[in-house]
Structure formats: structure tokens, C-alpha cells
Amino acid sequence: MPSSLIHRANDTRDCDADGLLGALRTVTDPRKARGRRYPLPGVLAAALSAVLAGARSFTAIGEWVGTLGADRLVRFGLSRPPTESMIRKLFARLDAAAVDAAMSRFWWTRCHTGDDQRRVIAIDGKTLRGARTSQQFAPHLIAAHEHDAGIVLGQLAVAAKSNEIPAVPELLATFDPDDLTGTVITADALHTQTDTAIAILAAGADYLFTVKANQPTLLAQLKALPWRDVPVHRAITKGRGRRVTRTIKVLQAPEQVTFPGAAQVAQVRRTVTVRGKKTVEVVYLITSAGYQQAQPATLAGWIQGHWGIEIRLRWVRDVTFDEDRSQIRTGAAPQIMASLRNTAINILRLAKWDNIAAGLRHHARNPDQAIKHILTS
């Protein structure tokens, strides 16, 4: 694990005292002190204000920052606007893991749940396809996404020529153990792995995994259970010409299921009807949460919340920010930009913007509000 990913158990969380700028001050500046004209926290904050206003490229960031004026730049600790070229070169040299770790420490302090609620976190991966070149792989990042608030709590780059599976325990290890205690980690079938389950349980959390063909024995065991005899919990939603019926059946994990920590298993059926055409999807799940902690309606909510990451994070970054076509490719810059996009989404979510595109347009018209969010978050 990179040395920059300092375990949060040893972190005094001083960054919280000065908000988001305080978090950015914990990132090491790779430049020599002599001749350094622009403080790193100010450059990152100014670039974030541009992303919060919808900027997708270094050219757009440079143009936005150049229009802020001295009275606004000074609020970021800048005496003059950094140029597009300077920002591009600096971002390529930064320790992306350190930026992600700083953002993670900050957002954990801003994400709260009610006393009677469990925090539920979805783990999912995304490839920055536009950053692929003939000399380098496209960066692949995994993110921890909080179900309820809809914010990203952490991000980690998957090692080149590797895959997401070993990265999940590494991502969890960057969080403070106290933060993970009592949480629920949801993940798709790729992460239905014994090592991942053991890591989650060791952190004091519960898991909820989808079971598919990559675990053939477990899938066969679940399919063979007497689901016809199990009571069903049903929910129906309608809207925009769609009718979606979700049913869930839950059983205590039988003795033959030896997956680590398994307490319950479930069958979920999702029936979608559009203009009379019906499609049915059946999936199986396994969780370490017992019945008292996770009754059928609760499990159904966790499952739907996990599927929601597709719209609330991936879709926003792909469509609203057009991330897959981004031409930012050099060094750490693609991952840094992904971290700034996550941060912009978090700011807008906590400011109650359900439509992220509308939020970006609003802040493009109101730069002082964008700056205020960054300085007061």
C-alpha cells in the first residue's frame, strides 16, 4: 500500500478544523519550495471550484480560474490565477493516493446517520477509459459510496495488471476502524470472495454480496433451496411508463453454506414492465447480517441502494462530467480529476441537489456560491 495512505487511526483529524481547505493542506506539494508561486491547497481549491461549475478539462479549469478575479482568488490564498499549463503539470506530479486519502478523511467527518440507522456503503469500480494510451493502461478506481447521503467516502486506484478483488480490503484498510464498526458493505458478485468477507468481518462490519457464476458451488446451493415455501416481501414502484415489482425471500443460511460469516441468504426477483413488455431478473444474495439486524424489508432497501450507485455515481461521472471521453491522461492527473469530480458531487449532494447537472449550471452562474461551498464545507 502506498506510504501516503496513512491509517486514519493515527490521524488527529486536524483537517476538520479548517474544513475542506484544511484537508487539502495535508497533501504534500511535490514542487521545490524555491520559486513556488501558488500554494498547493489554493490551486486544488480553485480547480475544484471550476469542476463544481462544470469544468471538464484543464483548458476549462484554467479559463474559469482566470475569471475569478483577485478578490475571489485571495479567499483560496492565491495572489494571482494559476495558468492552465501550471495546473496540468502540477496535477500530473501529485500523489493521487494522498489526495484521495485527504478527501476520505474529510468526508467521513461530514457524513452522519441517525442513531437508529446503520451506515450502508456500496463498493464499486470504474475505469477511466479516456485516459488509456498506447503506453499505459486506463486507470481503474474503486470507490466507497454511502447509500443514504449519496456521497463518496473513499477512492483507491487498482494496481496496473491487477483487478478490483484485492483492492477492496486495501480500500477498507484506509478507513478508521471506528468508522467501519457497525456498517454494512454491499458489493456485486465480483467481490463475493472469502478474503473480502473476512476483511469486512474483521473490521466489525457486515457484508451483503450478490452470488453469481463466479461462485458456482454457492450459487447452486442457493438455487436449490425451497424458495417456493418461503414468505415473500413485495414492493411496487411506478413512474415514467414503468412498473417495477421487487420481491425478496429470505432464509437463515443453511449448514451446507460455509461462506465466512453467512447468516442469511435471499432470492430477489425484479420484474419490469414497460408498455406491456415484461422482463424478469432473479438474483441470489448472501449476508452476514442476522434476521434481527436485517429483516426482509431492510435487506431489500440495502439491495436497491447498492444498485442505485449506478445512477448516483457512475452515470453522473460518465454523462454529466463526460468522464469516459476526458483527454486528461498524464501521470496522476486522471485520478486527481476523478477525486475532484467525486468531491463536487459530494458537495452538491449535501447541498440537496438531486440533479447534479442543474447544480453545476447553477454554480457556473454563481461563482461566489461555488467558492462558499468549498470554504464552508
Side-chain angles (χ1 to χ4, degrees), residues 97-125:
V99 174
D100 281 335
M103 292 296 93
S104 177
R105 289 192 295 270
F106 174 76
W107 288 114
W108 272 98
T109 68
R110 291 299 188 270
C111 182
H112 305 284
T113 59
D115 293 338
D116 59 342
Q117 292 180 320
R118 299 186 71 179
R119 175 174 285 139
V120 188
I121 301 168
I123 302 292
D124 196 32

Side-chain angles (χ1 to χ4, degrees), residues 65-332:
V65 174
T67 65
L68 289 181
D71 58 329
R72 290 172 175 146
L73 288 171
V74 73
R75 300 175 71 185
F76 293 138
L78 299 172
S79 60
R80 66 184 76 180
T83 64
E84 177 269 343
S85 175
M86 177 266 164
I87 297 172
R88 180 189 300 272
K89 292 175 181 177
L90 176 58
F91 278 26
R93 296 177 58 194
L94 285 175
D95 184 343
V99 174
D100 281 335
M103 292 296 93
S104 177
R105 289 192 295 270
F106 174 76
W107 288 114
W108 272 98
T109 68
R110 291 299 188 270
C111 182
H112 305 284
T113 59
D115 293 338
D116 59 342
Q117 292 180 320
R118 299 186 71 179
R119 175 174 285 139
V120 188
I121 301 168
I123 302 292
D124 196 32
K126 186 180 185 304
T127 300
L128 305 180
R129 293 182 175 83
R132 181 184 292 112
T133 69
S134 57
Q135 287 79 38
Q136 69 180 21
F137 289 94
H140 189 81
L141 309 173
I142 60 169
H145 184 264
E146 207 272 342
H147 282 211
D148 186 49
I151 70 173
V152 179
L153 293 172
Q155 175 178 274
L156 184 72
V158 175
K161 299 183 180 180
S162 184
N163 58 56
E164 287 185 35
I165 295 173
V168 172
E170 292 178 14
L171 175 61
L172 297 177
T174 67
F175 301 147
D176 190 314
D178 291 339
D179 287 335
L180 288 177
T181 300
T183 64
V184 179
I185 308 297
T186 66
D188 60 24
L190 175 66
H191 301 296
T192 307
Q193 308 287 336
T194 57
D195 287 348
T196 302
I198 290 170
I200 291 171
L201 295 170
D206 281 314
Y207 62 77
L208 174 62
F209 294 151
T210 304
V211 180
K212 291 188 177 179
N214 62 323
Q215 292 285 346
T217 301
L218 179 58
L219 178 60
Q221 289 173 336
L222 299 191
K223 284 185 174 181
L225 293 174
W227 295 110
R228 290 185 178 182
D229 303 327
V230 180
V232 62
H233 173 84
R234 178 178 284 103
I236 300 174
T237 57
K238 300 178 182 179
R240 298 183 179 181
R242 288 162 49 95
R243 175 188 170 97
V244 181
T245 302
R246 298 179 179 89
T247 64
I248 183 169
K249 298 180 177 182
V250 182
L251 285 170
Q252 182 178 336
E255 291 183 1
Q256 65 265 32
V257 172
T258 58
F259 195 81
Q264 297 189 95
V265 295
Q267 181 196 71
V268 175
R269 183 182 300 269
R270 183 171 179 264
T271 305
V272 180
T273 305
V274 181
R275 298 188 183 91
K277 183 178 180 180
K278 183 183 296 186
T279 58
V280 179
E281 178 186 21
V282 178
V283 297
Y284 295 90
L285 301 107
I286 190 166
T287 180
S288 59
Y291 180 80
Q292 294 301 319
Q293 302 167 304
Q295 297 182 19
T298 300
L299 281 178
W302 293 350
I303 296 160
Q304 191 170 354
H306 179 79
W307 289 341
I309 194 174
E310 182 75 26
I311 298 297
R312 304 189 80 188
L313 182 61
R314 277 199 200 178
W315 191 89
V316 170
R317 280 171 50 177
D318 283 344
V319 177
T320 305
F321 285 104
D322 204 17
E323 186 172 72
D324 278 351
R325 293 199 298 172
S326 172
Q327 297 300 298
I328 297 172
R329 295 172 175 169
T330 306

Side-chain angles (χ1 to χ4, degrees), residues 21-97:
L21 272 179
L24 296 176
R25 291 190 188 102
T26 67
V27 180
T28 301
D29 194 329
R31 300 168 297 175
K32 294 181 179 179
R34 183 177 180 180
R36 189 186 298 168
R37 299 180 180 179
Y38 308 97
L40 176 60
V43 175
L44 286 169
L48 175 58
S49 74
V51 174
L52 188 54
R56 299 175 177 178
S57 66
F58 283 129
T59 299
I61 290 174
E63 291 174 350
W64 167 266
V65 174
T67 65
L68 289 181
D71 58 329
R72 290 172 175 146
L73 288 171
V74 73
R75 300 175 71 185
F76 293 138
L78 299 172
S79 60
R80 66 184 76 180
T83 64
E84 177 269 343
S85 175
M86 177 266 164
I87 297 172
R88 180 189 300 272
K89 292 175 181 177
L90 176 58
F91 278 26
R93 296 177 58 194
L94 285 175
D95 184 343

